[in-house]
Amino acid sequence: MAVYTPVTATDLAGFLTRYDCGRATSFKGIAEGVSNSNFLVDTTSGRYVLTLYERNIDANDLPWFLSLMTHLADKGLPVPRPIADRDGHALQTLNGRAACLIAFAQGVSIAEPTPAECHAVGAALGRLHRATADFVAVRANSLGVTAWRPMAAKCGAGLAKIDPALPVLVADALAATDSWPTGLPVGTIHADLFPDNVLLDHGDVTGMIDFYFACTDIRAYDYVVTHAAWCFSAIGTVHYPDRAAALAAGYAETHGLEPAEVAALPRLGEGAALRFVLTRAYDWLHTPPEALVTRKDPMAFARRLAWYARATPDAVLGR
Ligand SMILES: Nc1ncnc2c1ncn2[C@@H]1O[C@H](COP(=O)(O)OP(=O)(O)O)[C@@H](O)[C@H]1O
Ligand SMILES: N[C@@H](CCOP(=O)(O)O)C(=O)O
């Protein structure tokens, strides 16, 4: 479920008077998603998504996220555009929440991607990295390498309750971050380009969404987050070299990795997997049983973490 803040038809009608986008003809909550409240809004001029930002997003970051999405949409990427009101403002307030009306992107997200879909997402990620070369505003990665020790400490003894093997796996991965790669190209990254944040239509990427973890960080880290999300079985037991090779080929067509980035992929992959182990473990331990949100399994990324700890750069590239 992802409607935390209710919006009535009257609320919506009042909200839409700020825009030149007609009046609502239908409107309903969107079940998918976990962080924010999302509504599908049809108006006499088109289809939109209305997002109300909930407490776990820092309102100070919203102008950066919305300006990044606008930058990418301006460059013709398949990124839904935040809609500006008549005064030119995309960021709004509705029912006590920061809110934004966003263009609707066609397509569906894929649970079990094919190599062809991995190729398409690799190419789309490369386009994103190219298109942000001139996006100069910086946002530090609040879930980056320096955040992982404090995050692990917050999970504390809870890690062992999730799985007896988890504390050692996390401790080893944290120790490995002592040799975190330096000097690699840095840029604006999506940082969460999972299949549920990519919409595809007949094999084409029609939407990259959910930029609310985007930040400025090592570009190849974004590549390996995407590899971790797209190139394993859901529970992380199987790595698919054909998907990995297709992802790499797609990315090479639109951006490509430098030799130093390739060499760093396994260590970056350990870090990427650790980030998702830790956020999932924290949510696993702190989501009340009665919450309607489905908790995501930390062990699915613990298995990926173990894979990256033994992987060669070639293996990450599906060779
Ligand atoms: N611009 C959009 N166009 C089409 N569907 C969207 C758009 N934005 C969000 N959605 C839908 O809403 C769901 C939740 O959005 P998401 O940004 O992932 O929410 P959350 O950050 O709460 O997880 C997505 O899975 C997708 O189905
Ligand atoms: N992709 C992350 C969770 C972030 O949730 P999202 O719905 O905002 O993408 C994970 O799988 O752990």
Side-chain angles (χ1 to χ4, degrees), residues 182-224:
T182 54
L184 296 178
V186 165
T188 307
I189 66 169
H190 184 286
D192 189 30
L193 199 61
F194 277 52
D196 60 350
N197 290 330
V198 176
L199 303 170
L200 288 136
D201 189 4
H202 292 92
D204 294 328
V205 174
T206 48
M208 290 189 273
I209 62 171
D210 206 351
F211 279 79
Y212 308 114
F213 292 116
C215 57
T216 314
D217 205 343
I218 296 173
R219 223 163 28 216
Y221 175 75
D222 211 16
Y223 179 84
V224 85

Side-chain angles (χ1 to χ4, degrees), residues 32-36 190-197 209-210 212-213 225 229 275-277 279-280 283 296-297 301:
E32 292 91 356
V34 291
S35 307
N36 300 311
H190 184 286
D192 189 30
L193 199 61
F194 277 52
D196 60 350
N197 290 330
I209 62 171
D210 206 351
Y212 308 114
F213 292 116
V225 166
R275 174 262 191 253
F276 291 103
V277 167
T279 47
R280 286 179 171 208
D283 292 346
K296 297 186 179 187
D297 181 8
F301 275 76

Side-chain angles (χ1 to χ4, degrees), residues 20-251:
D20 282 325
C21 62
R23 62 179 170 74
T25 53
S26 83
F27 135 79
K28 62 179 181 192
I30 296 178
E32 292 91 356
V34 291
S35 307
N36 300 311
S37 297
N38 289 298
F39 299 86
L40 185 62
V41 178
D42 283 310
T43 77
T44 46
S45 78
R47 175 167 275 193
Y48 305 90
V49 170
L50 170 63
T51 300
L52 272 62
Y53 299 99
E54 300 294 340
R55 289 188 185 83
N56 50 10
I57 201 157
D58 184 342
N60 295 318
D61 286 332
L62 285 170
W64 191 90
F65 296 137
L66 298 182
S67 121
L68 172 61
M69 292 165 70
T70 303
H71 178 92
L72 293 169
D74 284 347
K75 295 225 165 185
L77 269 82
V79 172
R81 178 183 297 282
I83 307 295
D85 69 6
R86 278 193 212 90
D87 297 326
H89 300 129
L91 184 55
Q92 306 281 340
T93 306
L94 179 60
N95 293 356
R97 295 273 179 269
C100 188
L101 191 66
I102 300 173
F104 177 82
Q106 296 289 345
V108 292
S109 46
I110 305 290
E112 275 296 330
T114 62
E117 288 158 348
C118 292
H119 186 283
V121 80
L125 181 69
R127 286 204 301 276
L128 188 153
H129 288 168
R130 283 182 94 91
T132 51
D134 59 347
F135 186 76
V136 290
V138 168
R139 176 180 179 266
N141 187 356
S142 52
L143 295 178
V145 62
T146 56
W148 298 336
R149 281 181 202 278
M151 285 160 67
K154 278 191 197 162
C155 295
L159 289 176
K161 290 188 198 142
I162 296 171
D163 190 288
L166 204 46
V168 170
L169 196 70
V170 166
D172 288 352
L174 287 172
T177 64
D178 290 342
S179 54
W180 189 241
T182 54
L184 296 178
V186 165
T188 307
I189 66 169
H190 184 286
D192 189 30
L193 199 61
F194 277 52
D196 60 350
N197 290 330
V198 176
L199 303 170
L200 288 136
D201 189 4
H202 292 92
D204 294 328
V205 174
T206 48
M208 290 189 273
I209 62 171
D210 206 351
F211 279 79
Y212 308 114
F213 292 116
C215 57
T216 314
D217 205 343
I218 296 173
R219 223 163 28 216
Y221 175 75
D222 211 16
Y223 179 84
V224 85
V225 166
T226 310
H227 172 266
W230 288 77
C231 300
F232 291 83
S233 58
I235 60 169
T237 45
V238 183
H239 175 251
Y240 297 111
D242 55 348
R243 293 190 199 176
L247 182 81
Y251 189 72

